[in-house]
Amino acid sequence: MTAPSDLGTARPGSPGLLRSVFRKHAAGVAVITARGDRGPVGFTATSLASVSADPPMLSFGVATGGSTWPAIAAGDHVGVHLLGEHQRELAATFARSGADRFGAATAWRDGPEGVPLLDDVLAWMVCRVVARVPAGGHRIVVAEVLLGDPAGAGRPLLYHQGRFTGLRD
């Protein structure tokens, strides 16, 4: 494909281009949790998307090389948590490789279907995994929402320009 000369600084598709473009895209921050063979696991996700209202379904991407993948690959249920501005450190903990994600600094409890539920989030859902679709080194997980609670207080945490941030009025 040849690009017209009036497209400015257009570059061919590449991992670097995709990362550069998505740094411009403000995304809500979620933590996905599951029950693994050795206990609770989880990771920070900005790829959360609504798929269907009826039945209620959502999707998220997960790296197959990550520590959470084996539990999500084998398990039937996941927890999805929308984080608030006050949870930047929690988001960073769940994003950091090798971190003690469910250590003393993380307030959580066992929820329905054995899913670990994080405390003090804006909203949470327990979902049943219905599909795992290959996508490069990731899987797109499609899950049906079984129950949840949208009553948390605060404003959403966002990820933009490579950092966690909040909304501005």
Side-chain angles (χ1 to χ4, degrees):
M1 175 177 158
T2 305
S5 61
D6 62 345
L7 292 181
T9 59
R11 305 185 330 219
S14 68
L17 174 65
L18 185 68
R19 282 191 291 275
S20 293
V21 169
F22 271 87
R23 280 188 196 106
K24 307 277 184 183
H25 175 70
V29 179
V31 168
I32 310 298
T33 61
R35 175 65 57 188
D37 289 340
R38 297 182 186 159
V41 297
F43 70 99
T44 300
T46 56
S47 60
L48 184 66
S50 172
V51 172
S52 169
D54 189 13
M57 299 177 92
L58 56 80
S59 69
F60 60 88
V62 57
T64 57
S67 61
T68 304
W69 171 243
I72 292 175
D76 294 328
H77 296 87
V78 295
V80 177
H81 310 80
L82 302 184
L83 301 189
E85 285 179 325
H86 62 287
Q87 295 176 303
R88 291 176 194 205
E89 186 54 40
L90 182 67
T93 296
F94 275 82
R96 198 169 29 254
S97 180
D100 184 7
R101 296 174 180 162
F102 289 90
T106 302
W108 67 281
R109 65 197 179 286
D110 284 319
E113 305 296 341
V115 172
L117 292 179
L118 302 176
D119 292 344
D120 198 28
V121 295
L122 294 185
W124 61 264
M125 296 171 281
V126 171
C127 305
R128 181 178 59 85
V129 174
V130 298
R132 298 167 185 90
V133 181
H138 288 68
R139 293 295 184 272
I140 305 302
V141 176
V142 179
E144 181 177 7
V145 178
L146 300 178
L147 68 145
D149 184 355
R155 294 166 53 110
L157 182 63
L158 301 177
Y159 189 73
H160 182 249
Q161 294 287 7
R163 64 185 184 91
F164 297 114
T165 188
L167 291 174
R168 293 187 199 141
D169 290 330

